[in-house]
Amino acid sequence: MTRTLPGIRVILSLVALLGAPLLGCSDSEDEIPTLPPPPAPTFESVAVEFDVTTPAATPCDATVAIIGNDEALGNWKLPGLTLTRDADGHFRGSAVLPVRKTISYNILLSSSGAQEVDTIGRILDVRSFTVADREGIEVKPTVTRWSLAGNAARPPVHFSVEVPANTPANAEIWLSGNQPALGEWNGAGVKLEKGSSGSRYFTCIPFATGTNLEFKVTRGSWDSVEKDAQGGEIDNHLHAVSAPARISVQVGSWRDLGPVEEQPDTLTGNIQYHDVDGASVGLRNRQLIVWLPPGYDTQTTRRYSVLYMHDGQNLMNARTAFGNVEWGVDETAQRLVEAGQVEPMIIVGVYNTQDRIAEYTQVPTTQYPDAGRADAYGRLLVEVVKPLIDSTYRTMPEAEHTGVAGSSLGGLVSMYFGLTHSSTFTRLGVVSPSVWWANRDIVTRVESLSGKLPLRIWADIGTNEDTSVGDSQIAVNDTRLLRDALIAEGWALDSDLKYLEVEGGRHNEAAWAARAEQILRYLYPPAP
């Protein structure tokens, strides 16, 4: 009788499970076989976060709810899942839903029964998604219009106030202004609610059409009124009420606390600054940050290509960047130029302003009726900024040497400028573009081209961006539509069109910094 020892039985079991011989497969008797990774955790149900973007016409007293085909959503009955208004105009809430269930739902104003409708007033069909077997699910739909019109004589005005870092955690934030609802300059007219971010506060007040608002932000008295970032006086905020509106205010500092202690600069290389007057094209003034390549001061006869980039304060300096996270464009470009991996170029960062949404979009929408000023912003770049750079630095001003790049709405407007200013910009960095804007208007414009333009295009999207258009897959699908439209017009993948989907990529400066090298290497390859 032959006996099988327990240790041998274990090995034979592994052989059967793995489907591959483990005995005699290695020269080393001590080598341990590689086992498959443990299976990913599975869930019976998961928390799903709903983040609903609503139009400016949403009434100040509105209650937004999700109703749908699950008990957590009311089984199609009110109150369903009641969402909470936040400082950015979104309504948010969470529901625990069964994994792998297809959820159908509607969004409505539970306070009035109004439903969401399309641009011509038709009630929208139910929305749906399938609950994934993972944690961290976010559903982010956008409501364009409600089925019931608001009070046109007294439209809602939504106020959002971002406070500086030295604001006390328990601070009360107030608006004080020239209307009874704003306290008639009493120093503490209307108290704002604190948003989920902790640094943003909000309120909503209906005003009669034709009202001219003037106001400032305080912490309850004129002794704590807002100042600019350096502690200087500022003018009153102004707004003429004509339609529903969103007003965003960034408080620079407080009178009693003084300026916020600044972080140190994080700049690399030869950096210059310029001020730009936007009055000639009807826009606000702004600043430019200019990075000059290694050797610029010593190779005095050499001329350089130029890359213009939007959201300039986020590119090179953590002190000025959103959330103090920069792209690191200066460090990346410095390293690539010194290694001979890119063509030496000049990089011009154009700072944004409080009109960023308007300037980076080509048409207005129902939700953003004041948007659609990209043509004016394009004139600023072509007629003001570029002549300044070309006259100050040793550039190669021709279109074949000039690029424009940006992310999110900056990616959208970069693509738009490629279509409208191809005689000026031919190298495009279309990074995480907001293709969704105005029902994918940018895709329609590409499809309407009469022929291919002489553009070298980088386009990318992260698979986990969670943008305001809905879940991340919608952003990916939208960007694929743009890619496919470009290919249909004659662009060739991996030749004059580079398309990248970044697995797990988010919608933030850190994610864009991680692929800055790839973008620069594609748009500005070294000369052969």
Side-chain angles (χ1 to χ4, degrees):
M1 176 177 178
T2 302
R3 296 181 61 193
T4 301
L5 298 178
I8 298 299
R9 285 201 298 270
V10 171
I11 294 175
L12 291 176
S13 298
L14 286 172
V15 171
L17 287 171
L18 298 176
L22 296 180
L23 297 176
C25 65
S26 171
D27 293 335
S28 171
E29 295 182 358
D30 297 327
E31 183 172 330
I32 300 175
T34 301
L35 299 178
T42 58
F43 306 92
E44 294 184 359
S45 58
V46 293
V48 176
E49 298 290 334
F50 289 89
D51 180 347
V52 179
T53 303
T54 57
T58 302
C60 294
D61 59 354
T63 303
V64 175
I66 303 281
I67 61 169
N69 64 335
D70 189 84
E71 182 178 357
L73 305 180
N75 282 325
W76 295 112
K77 295 180 180 178
L78 287 172
L81 173 65
T82 300
L83 307 181
T84 301
R85 188 195 295 264
D86 208 344
D88 52 6
H90 293 210
F91 285 77
R92 296 183 171 92
S94 176
V96 176
L97 299 172
V99 166
R100 290 180 289 278
K101 180 175 182 177
T102 297
I103 299 296
S104 300
Y105 69 97
N106 282 127
I107 308 168
L108 49 81
L109 290 179
S110 54
S111 49
S112 65
Q115 301 179 59
E116 56 175 327
V117 298
D118 62 18
T119 55
I120 60 174
R122 295 174 300 191
I123 300 293
L124 293 185
D125 293 334
V126 297
R127 297 175 179 265
S128 64
F129 67 95
T130 300
V131 182
D133 190 5
R134 62 177 175 85
E135 296 179 314
I137 300 172
E138 293 181 289
V139 178
K140 307 177 78 170
T142 295
V143 176
T144 302
R145 290 178 58 190
W146 300 111
S147 58
L148 294 180
N151 184 350
R154 290 183 60 81
V157 179
H158 305 264
F159 298 88
S160 176
V161 175
E162 184 81 19
V163 298
N166 64 347
T167 304
N170 61 349
E172 294 183 350
I173 307 301
W174 300 74
L175 300 182
S176 183
N178 66 338
Q179 300 297 319
L182 298 176
E184 295 184 319
W185 298 116
N186 66 355
V190 58
K191 182 180 175 181
L192 277 61
E193 296 182 57
K194 193 171 188 177
S196 60
S197 71
S199 63
R200 187 177 292 181
Y201 294 73
F202 67 99
T203 193
C204 178
I205 306 172
F207 288 99
T209 301
T211 303
N212 291 311
L213 302 180
E214 296 189 38
F215 66 94
K216 282 185 176 176
V217 183
T218 77
R219 297 200 333 277
S221 74
W222 295 115
D223 291 333
S224 59
V225 70
E226 63 175 316
K227 300 289 184 179
D228 67 21
Q230 291 73 42
E233 295 290 342
I234 63 171
D235 293 332
N236 296 335
H237 301 288
L238 307 177
H239 178 73
V241 179
S242 60
R246 301 189 189 279
I247 300 176
S248 296
V249 175
Q250 177 90 43
V251 174
S253 65
W254 301 110
R255 169 177 285 173
D256 59 327
L257 299 180
V260 178
E261 183 176 348
E262 292 188 347
Q263 295 189 357
D265 289 324
T266 58
L267 300 168
T268 295
N270 187 348
I271 304 290
Q272 306 295 322
Y273 290 93
H274 298 273
D275 292 322
V276 171
D277 186 343
S280 63
V281 294
L283 299 181
R284 297 178 186 273
N285 300 341
R286 67 206 65 209
Q287 195 170 50
L288 308 179
I289 182 171
V290 179
W291 179 86
L292 300 175
Y296 182 86
D297 290 336
T298 57
Q299 301 175 34
T300 56
T301 61
R302 183 167 187 171
R303 308 190 77 83
Y304 298 88
S305 297
V306 183
L307 174 62
Y308 294 87
M309 298 187 71
H310 316 296
D311 295 314
Q313 57 264 60
N314 296 337
L315 302 177
M316 309 180 198
N317 196 350
R319 182 176 64 81
T320 61
F322 178 77
N324 300 126
V325 179
E326 57 160 307
W327 283 43
V329 168
D330 48 345
E331 289 86 1
T332 300
Q334 187 91 7
R335 172 171 49 81
L336 294 176
V337 171
E338 290 175 345
Q341 295 177 323
V342 296
E343 169 195 356
M345 86 292 288
I346 296 171
I347 300 176
V348 180
V350 184
Y351 280 32
N352 64 40
T353 72
Q354 66 192 66
D355 299 323
R356 179 182 185 274
I357 292 177
E359 293 179 0
Y360 289 9
T361 52
Q362 67 275 23
V363 290
T365 66
T366 303
Q367 185 177 356
Y368 296 97
D370 296 327
R373 305 202 67 194
D375 288 331
Y377 179 52
R379 287 185 59 203
L380 180 76
L381 296 188
V382 174
E383 299 175 15
V384 181
V385 174
K386 189 173 186 298
L388 170 64
I389 297 301
D390 289 339
S391 63
T392 305
Y393 302 101
R394 298 191 308 277
T395 69
M396 292 188 287
E398 298 82 7
E400 63 188 282
H401 301 294
T402 308
V404 62
S407 61
S408 191
L409 289 176
L412 172 69
V413 80
S414 295
M415 187 69 245
Y416 179 68
F417 288 161
L419 304 182
T420 58
H421 292 287
S422 61
S423 60
T424 302
F425 307 109
T426 61
R427 309 187 193 197
L428 309 183
V430 183
V431 183
S432 297
S434 299
V435 177
W436 57 271
W437 184 267
N439 296 319
R440 303 174 184 87
D441 171 81
I442 196 66
V443 175
T444 302
R445 290 174 185 268
V446 172
E447 293 172 340
S448 300
L449 289 173
S450 58
K452 177 186 173 185
L453 298 170
L455 304 174
R456 182 177 179 86
I457 304 171
W458 168 284
D460 68 28
I461 193 71
T463 64
N464 193 27
E465 299 217 0
D466 295 329
T467 63
S468 62
V469 299
D471 63 32
S472 297
Q473 191 58 45
I474 295 177
V476 173
N477 293 342
D478 284 350
T479 312
R480 289 175 181 172
L481 288 176
L482 176 62
R483 173 202 63 190
D484 294 345
L486 290 166
I487 292 172
E489 293 297 325
W491 275 270
L493 275 178
D494 298 323
S495 177
D496 51 8
L497 172 61
K498 182 67 176 180
Y499 176 74
L500 178 68
E501 289 181 8
V502 183
E503 185 63 34
R506 302 302 299 262
H507 198 81
N508 56 38
E509 269 64 35
W512 300 322
R515 52 193 192 257
E517 175 175 338
Q518 295 169 276
I519 297 167
L520 292 178
R521 293 184 68 165
Y522 176 74
L523 292 181
Y524 292 87

